[in-house]
Structure formats: C-alpha cells, structure tokens
Amino acid sequence: MEPLDTSAPRLRVAALYCFTRFDDPAALRAPLEALCHEHRIRGTLLLAGEGINGTIAGTDAGIDAIVAHVRGLPGCEGVDVKFSDAPHMPFHRMKVRLKREIVTMGQPDIDPLAIVGTYVEPQDWNALIADPDTIVIDTRNDYEVAVGTFARAIDPHTKTFREFPEWFRSERERLLGQGKAPKVAMFCTGGIRCEKSTAFLKQEGVEDVFHLKGGILKYLETVPEEQSLWEGECFVFDQRVTIGHGLAPGSYELCHACRRPISAEDRASEFYEIGVSCPACHGERTEEQRAAYRERERQEKLAARRGEAHVGAVYRGE
C-alpha cells in the first residue's frame, strides 16, 4: 500500500454494517479490496453470506468512494454508516476478510432479516432505559463494559459475543421473572450485535425487545452530554481506543499484548510494561511470551525510527 497523504487536514472514519444475502461473498472481495487500496483506505471489512461489517479510515474522497461501492452491493442500498474524525490514521493496513458471520454469535438459526427487535432512536433512548419496568442489557464484552456503559445497564461479563446466548438462557428466569415479562432494551457499540441479540431474544419467546438504533456511537454523537445517561467512555475497535461525547478522543490507551483498553491507573501499575503486559493480562502470559512481546516492541521502535509502518494490529470486530 502506498503511504497515506499525511498532509490531509483530517481523516474520516466510517463504521458500517448491513445484513443482506450475498450468494457469493468471495466474488465481492477482490473488487472491494482493490478499490480500498486505490484510495489508500485502511481498516477491516468482513464479508459473509449474511452481509458486510467493518470500520475503515481515509480521506473524505476515499471514504465516499468505498461507501458508494458498498451501497452498490446487493441489498446494501441502505447500509448503516457512522462517520467520525481521527487526528491520525487509526489502522495499520487494509484487510477484506471472508467470514462465516459478520459478527460471531454461533447461532446458525438466527436471521436478523426475518425477525429483529424494535429500533429506538437515540433521542428516545433515555426515556426507555429510565423506565423501571425496562431491563437494560449491555451486549458487549467485559473489557468494553469496564470502560463505560449506560446507567442501570446489566453487564453479562462475557468475554466474547458467542457467550451471550448461554448467558441469557442461564439468567432468563432471574431477569424476566415468572409474571408479565418486562421490556428488554439492549445496546452495543454500533448496532450490529443488537441485530442478532434482539433476534435471538425474539426467537427465545421474549416479546418486548428494543435496541438502540445506531448504537452507542450514534447516541454519543447526537445526544448532548448534559442530557446523556452514558457513564464513562466507549471502546472502539481501532487505535483511538476510546471516544467520548461528541465522538471526541478518549483517555484510554491499548495494551498491545492483550488488546484491552488501559487507563492512567493501569499504566501506573507495576504489572504494566509498554507492549508487554498490563494488570489485566500479566498473569495470563508466561515469561517466554512476555520476552517475545519485548522483542516485538523493540522491532516496532526500530521500524518507527526507519520511518516504516509496523503491521501488527488485530481487528476484534463489533
């Protein structure tokens, strides 16, 4: 990939997804990847038989070209795209990957095109989750919830989205009780996980299921901070790590050993070593692994001194 024009005044980030039916997603990969390289776009796009998902960054013209291309794919005319700005390129390279699912839940019978919860606009979300008859569930993973969440939200303490169905089935009676089932409101970063989680609950027989349209990103973009029920920051899947109200850059950094967000307090810990470990992962790694991470960190610094981009970022997906 050619070097990005760093003289550009800003970079635009586009987070997008669309559930649709691609008969041959492999055939869509090469043209999409070529166009991304042509416009010096970086990030990750996932293609599967159920649609497309990903986050990319580049110039305004480059992002416009990719979004226009995606909207030309079968069933993607109304693809949901959330835009934000970044002061620096938040991705190391461009990847277009073929996957079984564009967001992995591991429930093959779930089809968001057939059944899904009720969308709630950001400006109406506060009233719904403030209602005492509403159960609010954060469908994201534990490391994301730890950075920030909505008031009153239940944390499932899942490490991956694949664990969500088992969590709900085991907690269903406690959550919903034996009488009239309460309303269930769910949210995630950009909205895609809730497409599947609400479809899953509907399939499980839960009737009043709602989800935040556009996800946390749209809420933070459109709801004024003084009216917000959001507490903390929002983890994002790129080198910005977290963002706040108005999609402003957050205060967290990323542990390059485990890819979890780390706070200023974490960085002051005896278990924190740049590129090697943080309080969350120090006990999960062997000394041999940490030695390998130290060598990787050394190579990254050497590459930076030579003016070369180090390729090593991992996209976790929404």
Side-chain angles (χ1 to χ4, degrees):
M1 178 180 288
E2 297 180 28
L4 195 74
D5 182 6
T6 56
S7 65
R10 67 182 175 90
L11 294 170
R12 188 153 56 135
V13 180
L16 60 89
Y17 75 87
C18 182
F19 281 97
T20 184
R21 291 186 175 88
F22 292 149
D23 294 330
D24 187 5
L28 306 177
R29 180 181 183 181
L32 180 57
E33 191 169 46
L35 189 64
C36 288
H37 286 301
E38 177 186 341
H39 289 279
R40 302 176 185 178
I41 300 297
R42 295 180 187 175
T44 298
L45 292 171
L46 307 179
L47 291 168
E50 65 180 11
I52 185 170
N53 174 34
T55 306
I56 54 176
T59 62
D60 285 345
I63 293 297
D64 287 344
I66 304 306
V67 170
H69 179 87
V70 171
R71 284 182 170 145
L73 299 178
C76 291
E77 300 86 357
V79 61
D80 182 35
V81 187
K82 287 169 286 296
F83 298 104
S84 59
D85 293 342
H88 308 288
M89 171 53 72
F91 300 105
H92 291 291
R93 57 183 174 181
M94 185 65 225
K95 294 171 285 186
V96 181
R97 291 177 169 175
L98 297 176
K99 304 283 284 186
R100 290 185 178 180
E101 300 178 69
I102 56 174
V103 59
T104 304
M105 192 182 203
Q107 299 290 313
D109 295 333
I110 296 299
D111 183 4
L113 294 175
I115 186 171
V116 72
T118 301
Y119 295 99
V120 179
E121 296 290 344
Q123 59 269 28
D124 300 322
W125 182 248
N126 285 359
L128 174 64
I129 66 172
D131 184 342
D133 292 328
T134 300
I135 290 175
V136 187
I137 301 176
D138 193 330
T139 67
R140 301 171 304 152
N141 301 327
D142 53 5
Y143 62 89
E144 300 171 77
V145 180
V147 171
T149 190
F150 281 107
R152 295 186 60 243
I154 295 170
D155 178 6
H157 297 286
T158 52
K159 295 188 181 301
T160 69
F161 188 47
R162 187 184 287 272
E163 297 176 2
F164 183 84
E166 181 180 354
W167 171 83
F168 178 78
R169 285 169 177 155
S170 66
E171 296 293 319
R172 175 174 180 155
E173 185 173 343
R174 182 181 67 84
L175 292 171
L176 304 185
Q178 298 295 327
K180 182 181 182 298
K183 292 176 286 187
V184 179
M186 297 191 284
F187 63 93
C188 57
T189 306
I192 185 171
R193 270 180 283 199
C194 288
E195 300 277 359
K196 284 196 170 181
S197 61
T198 59
F200 170 74
L201 260 67
K202 297 282 282 189
Q203 186 166 292
E204 292 285 299
V206 183
E207 295 183 3
D208 293 329
V209 184
F210 304 84
H211 56 131
L212 176 58
K213 187 175 182 180
I216 302 163
L217 296 180
K218 196 64 177 178
Y219 182 92
L220 293 178
E221 179 186 3
T222 58
V223 176
E225 184 171 0
E226 60 273 15
Q227 299 174 18
S228 175
L229 296 181
W230 178 259
E231 300 172 347
E233 298 177 13
C234 177
F235 182 85
V236 290
F237 300 90
D238 57 59
Q239 295 302 310
R240 294 174 298 172
V241 186
T242 61
I243 58 173
H245 287 91
L247 306 184
S251 61
Y252 284 75
E253 295 181 8
L254 199 67
C255 173
H256 292 285
C258 67
R259 315 301 298 174
R260 294 183 178 103
I262 49 178
S263 64
E265 182 179 0
D266 293 329
R267 296 192 292 274
S269 169
E270 61 178 311
F271 298 119
Y272 175 65
E273 184 178 347
I274 297 176
V276 177
S277 67
C278 70
C281 72
H282 185 273
E284 301 173 349
R285 305 293 194 269
T286 64
E287 186 51 46
E288 289 77 11
Q289 288 174 311
R290 287 193 287 271
Y293 294 156
R294 289 188 187 98
E295 176 59 22
R296 181 185 63 184
E297 183 70 15
R298 189 179 75 86
Q299 292 297 331
E300 288 182 4
K301 290 178 179 177
L302 290 174
R305 289 172 189 164
R306 294 193 298 266
E308 300 173 357
H310 178 79
V311 178
V314 176
Y315 176 78
R316 283 180 154 179
E318 222 267 88

